[in-house]
């Protein structure tokens, strides 16, 4: 597949030399370059296509998705809005614009887009889940749980949605339901440390340290380069009185945070290590 995109890029570059202001050629080369991981060059092609013809509709959808990928959420919103001017019925544009609004913390705008997408489109389980996040962020936990319920009716094997519902159930103080959801998520994806880590943190908040420790232990085994797994295990060990074990976990977490360039988290891990050693 990569070879095909490389060939397409070469052919379209020859075509662009002959017709440098043809938006269709620039748009197609941008698609090929994005597929090859040449994101900066792809964006330049999309920008050039828009400059050549601001009424060339297909390029706005492609540039919007690339900007979303690059986490330029406001730029993506502007392009999705332009796409919707050309194609008001595009549920994908509504869904993606909603995701961008949500990332910017504009949850009520995001809900409006997800509402529009749900009335027109496919992929409804993901849309309900995305809208659930918005409702949760504005603290309407009942609606968040209800959307997760709808999503699970359509995708009953989705570990992600079970874990998401657990978040909002916990906020409703439905601790039994939250634990059941996290357990189901871990059963569906037993090799995914993320859900074990989430369940471990939940159990810590419930004071169930002896139950939380095995979840973090397994997370460390599955993801030995995941610093938060060591932080979780260190917290459990500290609360069980294993100061040396906790300090070693915090030290390892600090090393991994340093490798990731996360200085604030590294400092926090070192502080936890010092506190464990003097306990």
């Amino acid at each position: 597949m990569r070879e095909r995109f490389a060939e397409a890029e070469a052919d379209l570059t020859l075509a662009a030399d002959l017709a440098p202001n043809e938006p269709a050629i620039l748009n197609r080369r941008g698609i090929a370059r994005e597929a090859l991981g040449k994101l900066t060059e792809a964006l330049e092609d999309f920008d050039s296509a828009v400059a050549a013809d601001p009424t060339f509709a297909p390029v706005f959808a492609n540039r919007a998705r690339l900007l979303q990928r690059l986490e330029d959420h406001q730029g993506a919103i502007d392009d999705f809005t332009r796409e919707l001017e050309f194609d008001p019925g595009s549920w994908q544009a509504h869904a993606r614009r909603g995701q961008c609004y949500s990332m910017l913390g504009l949850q009520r705008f995001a809900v409006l887009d997800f509402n529009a997408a749900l009335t027109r489109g496919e992929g409804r389980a993901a849309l309900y889940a995305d809208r659930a996040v918005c409702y949760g962020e504005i603290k309407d936990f009942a609606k968040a749980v209800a959307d997760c319920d709808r999503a699970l009716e359509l995708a009953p094997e989705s570990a992600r949605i079970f874990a998401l519902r657990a978040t909002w159930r916990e906020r409703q103080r439905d601790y039994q339901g939250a634990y059941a959801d996290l357990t189901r998520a871990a059963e569906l994806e037993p090799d995914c440390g993320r859900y074990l880590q989430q369940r471990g943190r939940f159990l810590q908040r419930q004071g169930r340290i002896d139950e939380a420790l095995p979840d973090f232990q397994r997370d460390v085994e599955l993801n030995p380069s995941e610093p938060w797994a060591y932080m979780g295990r260190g917290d459990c060990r500290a609360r069980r009185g294993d100061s040396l074990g906790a300090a070693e976990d915090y030290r390892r977490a600090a090393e991994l945070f340093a490798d990731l360039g996360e200085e604030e988290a590294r400092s926090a891990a070192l502080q936890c290590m010092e506190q464990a050693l003097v306990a």
Side-chain angles (χ1 to χ4, degrees), residues 10 12 20-21 34 41 66 69 85 173 193 209 219 224 226 262 267:
L12 290 163
N21 295 316
E34 183 179 359
E41 294 174 56
L66 176 55
R69 183 177 177 183
E85 292 174 1
R173 300 185 180 181
I209 305 305
D219 190 15
E226 168 53 56
E262 297 184 17
S267 296

Side-chain angles (χ1 to χ4, degrees), residues 23-42:
I25 294 173
L26 294 167
N27 181 52
R28 289 171 59 197
R29 187 172 67 177
I31 294 170
R33 285 177 164 173
E34 183 179 359
L36 292 169
K38 300 179 180 181
L39 305 186
T40 300
E41 294 174 56

Side-chain angles (χ1 to χ4, degrees), residues 89-194:
S90 173
W91 70 270
Q92 296 97 329
H94 277 294
R96 286 181 172 272
R97 189 174 67 176
Q99 292 168 352
C100 292
Y101 276 132
S102 184
M103 291 299 297
L104 293 176
L106 301 171
Q107 308 301 345
R108 297 187 189 279
F109 287 103
V111 166
L112 293 175
D113 266 331
F114 292 133
N115 289 346
L118 281 163
T119 62
R120 299 169 181 170
E122 302 172 3
R124 296 170 69 86
L127 292 172
Y128 279 124
D130 285 341
R131 193 174 67 177
V133 172
C134 299
Y135 283 134
E137 290 296 327
I138 61 178
K139 296 181 169 51
D140 193 338
F141 304 125
K143 286 185 178 178
V145 169
D147 268 356
C148 289
D149 291 343
R150 296 185 184 99
L152 286 168
E153 289 173 2
L154 298 167
E157 301 297 305
S158 173
R160 170 181 171 264
I161 298 172
F162 275 108
L164 183 62
R165 188 172 66 177
T167 299
W168 310 129
R169 280 182 157 176
E170 183 180 2
R171 297 298 294 274
Q172 289 183 309
R173 300 185 180 181
D174 177 7
Y175 302 125
Q176 184 175 354
Y179 179 73
D181 279 345
L182 290 171
T183 298
R184 182 59 179 146
E187 289 172 349
L188 287 167
E189 295 190 24
D191 294 329
C192 179
R194 180 194 329 158

